[in-house]
Amino acid sequence: MKKLTYIAAILTLATGCQKEIDMDYHEVAPVVCIEGRVTNEQMYVLVTRSRPMEDSVHARGIQGASVTISTPDRSEQLVFDARDGYYRSPTGWKGETGHTYTLQVTLDGQHYEAVSTMPPAAPIVSTQFVWQPVLKNHLLTFTMWATDPEPDVRNFYWYRMERHSVNADARRKQGNDPYRWNVFDDRGSRDGRIYRDIHCMMDVSEDEPDEDNLKSVLFEGDTITFQLMTIDRPTFDYYQSLSTGQRMGANPISNIKGGCQGYFVAGNITRSDTLYYKKINRE
């Protein structure tokens, strides 16, 4: 099964075609979008409105909303930060494992609400780069091992890989996008360990980098940081549908009531040490 996965990766990473397609998008009224996070590191909420498909300008946070996060024992109104457009805790309030948080947002007379409970963290044990032979080529994978916080319970995870490249063109191509991200669950995990094998690039991309593969190719000296967040099932469904929607043109499944797009999550984050990519002889 693992070998079939690597062969499929070749078809995805090493082949492709380009064709210009004219799309006739129907204009619709802007929809409120809310992204809210309560983590063991911080809490913040971003409130924006959807934009036309052809609008490439990054959405700015909307000022003037009433944003509150609460537990049965505490409630706090978040304050708008004009520097980045986020609503943040004025006291530096952080989330705690097992606590249930309620988000309430009121904007232009419309009320939006969501609830999320923070699961326990999954400490990262190790990360490394591994070259896997696939037919006549090699596939670079990033492997991650972590401790399953509840081996007898189905848990859900979101990961994000950040890259800082020594190549200026690669940094420009990447922009603010993560190098890799996705969600998964711990079905199939054994002995209280979580394993993830993340495809990075084919060796032909490294040997012959060009404008088309700069977002994925790693150069010697590039650094990778990795964060793993335990999430609840509604947030997992949101991110999974977001990943599918990016390919199919569909909106993700929101876990916020009130008729908006977006998500609210209480998640526990763990981070790995910085990993440096070093080019090696793959023969």
Side-chain angles (χ1 to χ4, degrees):
M1 180 62 69
K2 201 168 186 180
K3 185 176 292 185
L4 291 176
T5 301
Y6 294 144
I7 293 175
I10 282 189
L11 299 178
T12 302
L13 297 175
T15 65
C17 60
Q18 294 182 346
K19 182 178 181 181
E20 292 188 5
I21 301 176
D22 293 327
M23 302 295 289
D24 183 16
Y25 296 108
H26 298 283
E27 298 240 353
V28 296
V31 177
V32 173
C33 301
I34 299 173
E35 301 173 48
R37 286 193 180 190
V38 174
T39 74
N40 52 309
E41 298 178 345
Q42 62 177 323
M43 61 175 60
Y44 65 80
V45 176
L46 177 66
V47 182
T48 60
R49 285 190 174 91
S50 59
R51 309 182 314 282
M53 289 290 294
E54 65 274 10
D55 186 356
S56 60
V57 178
H58 183 69
R60 289 285 299 172
I62 298 174
Q63 189 172 6
S66 173
V67 180
T68 301
I69 290 179
S70 61
T71 67
D73 303 318
R74 180 177 178 177
S75 180
E76 189 168 281
Q77 184 161 353
L78 275 58
V79 177
F80 184 78
D81 188 339
R83 294 171 298 179
D84 57 11
Y86 284 81
Y87 290 84
R88 302 185 185 277
S89 165
T91 64
W93 189 17
K94 299 176 183 179
E96 297 181 53
T97 300
H99 289 207
T100 298
Y101 297 86
T102 299
L103 168 69
Q104 298 186 71
V105 177
T106 301
L107 178 66
D108 298 334
Q110 184 66 38
H111 185 74
Y112 309 96
E113 187 170 326
V115 177
S116 184
T117 300
M118 182 182 290
I124 297 173
V125 176
S126 66
T127 58
Q128 64 177 335
F129 287 118
V130 178
W131 281 104
Q132 305 283 358
V134 184
L135 300 179
K136 296 181 179 180
N137 298 93
H138 291 81
L139 169 67
L140 180 68
T141 62
F142 179 93
T143 61
M144 183 278 305
W145 287 93
T147 301
D148 192 336
E150 298 173 304
D152 299 327
V153 178
R154 185 182 176 189
N155 292 307
F156 303 90
Y157 306 92
W158 167 92
Y159 70 80
R160 180 183 177 102
M161 293 174 64
E162 298 284 358
R163 175 187 67 164
H164 180 75
S165 181
V166 297
N167 185 287
D169 290 333
R171 292 198 302 270
R172 171 186 55 80
K173 192 77 171 181
Q174 191 81 22
N176 294 321
D177 296 335
Y179 179 68
R180 295 285 187 270
W181 74 268
N182 214 328
V183 291
F184 64 101
D185 61 34
D186 57 5
R187 287 178 297 179
S189 299
R190 293 181 296 178
D191 303 323
R193 302 290 292 275
I194 306 165
Y195 173 78
R196 203 66 189 165
D197 201 5
I198 303 166
H199 298 164
C200 295
M201 66 176 180
M202 298 301 300
D203 52 3
V204 292
S205 298
E206 181 183 25
D207 296 337
E208 301 175 7
D210 57 36
E211 186 70 17
D212 293 332
N213 64 23
L214 281 177
K215 290 187 72 171
S216 62
V217 66
L218 292 174
F219 297 88
E220 184 165 16
D222 284 3
T223 59
I224 290 288
T225 55
F226 184 90
Q227 60 175 294
L228 180 69
M229 180 165 64
T230 48
I231 58 178
D232 56 14
R233 178 59 186 266
T235 308
F236 172 84
D237 291 339
Y238 170 84
Y239 275 119
Q240 191 172 60
S241 62
L242 175 63
S243 178
T244 302
Q246 287 178 335
R247 299 189 300 268
M248 306 298 292
N251 288 327
I253 302 171
S254 176
N255 66 344
I256 303 176
K257 298 178 181 178
C260 70
Q261 290 293 320
Y263 69 95
F264 173 63
V265 60
N268 230 322
I269 296 176
T270 56
R271 299 177 183 272
S272 70
D273 294 333
T274 299
L275 197 62
Y276 287 81
Y277 173 68
K278 183 178 180 180
K279 187 173 182 178
I280 62 173
N281 186 349
R282 301 180 298 273
E283 298 301 326

Short mmCIF file of all heavy atoms in Angstrom, two decimals, residues 3 50 62 75 101 114 165 179 212 230 256 265:
data_model
loop_
_atom_site.label_atom_id
_atom_site.label_comp_id
_atom_site.label_asym_id
_atom_site.label_seq_id
_atom_site.Cartn_x
_atom_site.Cartn_y
_atom_site.Cartn_z
N LYS A 3 3.90 1.56 -1.19
CA LYS A 3 4.53 1.71 -2.49
C LYS A 3 3.56 2.32 -3.49
O LYS A 3 3.92 3.16 -4.31
CB LYS A 3 5.02 0.35 -2.99
CG LYS A 3 5.81 0.43 -4.29
CD LYS A 3 6.35 -0.94 -4.69
CE LYS A 3 7.42 -1.39 -3.71
NZ LYS A 3 8.03 -2.66 -4.14
N SER A 50 -16.48 37.95 2.09
CA SER A 50 -16.00 37.29 0.88
C SER A 50 -15.82 38.31 -0.23
O SER A 50 -16.45 39.37 -0.24
CB SER A 50 -16.99 36.20 0.45
OG SER A 50 -18.27 36.76 0.20
N ILE A 62 -12.59 43.31 9.52
CA ILE A 62 -13.65 44.31 9.66
C ILE A 62 -13.68 44.82 11.10
O ILE A 62 -13.79 44.03 12.05
CB ILE A 62 -15.02 43.72 9.29
CG1 ILE A 62 -15.02 43.27 7.83
CG2 ILE A 62 -16.13 44.75 9.54
CD1 ILE A 62 -16.28 42.54 7.43
N SER A 75 -15.80 35.27 30.81
CA SER A 75 -16.19 35.85 29.52
C SER A 75 -15.33 37.08 29.26
O SER A 75 -15.00 37.83 30.19
CB SER A 75 -17.67 36.26 29.53
OG SER A 75 -18.04 36.83 28.29
N TYR A 101 -15.30 26.38 24.93
CA TYR A 101 -15.31 27.82 24.63
C TYR A 101 -16.45 28.14 23.66
O TYR A 101 -16.69 27.40 22.70
CB TYR A 101 -13.97 28.25 24.04
CG TYR A 101 -12.82 28.06 25.00
CD1 TYR A 101 -12.17 26.83 25.07
CD2 TYR A 101 -12.42 29.08 25.86
CE1 TYR A 101 -11.13 26.63 25.97
CE2 TYR A 101 -11.38 28.89 26.76
CZ TYR A 101 -10.75 27.66 26.82
OH TYR A 101 -9.74 27.46 27.71
N ALA A 114 -20.62 29.86 17.90
CA ALA A 114 -20.00 28.54 17.73
C ALA A 114 -19.44 28.09 19.07
O ALA A 114 -19.12 28.91 19.94
CB ALA A 114 -18.90 28.57 16.68
N SER A 165 12.92 29.78 2.76
CA SER A 165 13.84 29.34 1.72
C SER A 165 15.01 30.30 1.57
O SER A 165 14.89 31.52 1.73
CB SER A 165 13.10 29.22 0.38
OG SER A 165 13.98 28.76 -0.64
N TYR A 179 3.90 25.79 3.46
CA TYR A 179 4.52 24.85 2.53
C TYR A 179 3.62 23.64 2.33
O TYR A 179 3.40 23.18 1.21
CB TYR A 179 5.89 24.42 3.07
CG TYR A 179 6.59 23.41 2.19
CD1 TYR A 179 7.06 23.77 0.92
CD2 TYR A 179 6.76 22.10 2.61
CE1 TYR A 179 7.67 22.84 0.11
CE2 TYR A 179 7.39 21.17 1.79
CZ TYR A 179 7.84 21.55 0.54
OH TYR A 179 8.45 20.62 -0.27
N ASP A 212 7.62 26.75 -12.30
CA ASP A 212 6.41 26.00 -11.98
C ASP A 212 6.52 25.21 -10.67
O ASP A 212 5.50 24.91 -10.05
CB ASP A 212 6.06 25.03 -13.12
CG ASP A 212 5.65 25.77 -14.39
OD1 ASP A 212 5.12 26.90 -14.26
OD2 ASP A 212 5.86 25.24 -15.49
N THR A 230 -4.26 19.40 17.84
CA THR A 230 -5.40 18.53 18.05
C THR A 230 -6.67 19.37 17.96
O THR A 230 -6.75 20.46 18.53
CB THR A 230 -5.33 17.84 19.42
OG1 THR A 230 -5.05 18.82 20.44
CG2 THR A 230 -4.26 16.77 19.44
N ILE A 256 -20.03 27.37 12.35
CA ILE A 256 -20.55 28.56 13.03
C ILE A 256 -22.00 28.77 12.62
O ILE A 256 -22.33 28.81 11.43
CB ILE A 256 -19.71 29.81 12.67
CG1 ILE A 256 -18.24 29.58 13.03
CG2 ILE A 256 -20.25 31.04 13.38
CD1 ILE A 256 -17.33 30.72 12.62
N VAL A 265 -12.37 27.08 16.43
CA VAL A 265 -11.72 25.89 16.99
C VAL A 265 -11.03 26.21 18.30
O VAL A 265 -10.42 27.28 18.45
CB VAL A 265 -10.70 25.30 15.99
CG1 VAL A 265 -9.60 26.30 15.66
CG2 VAL A 265 -10.08 24.02 16.55
#
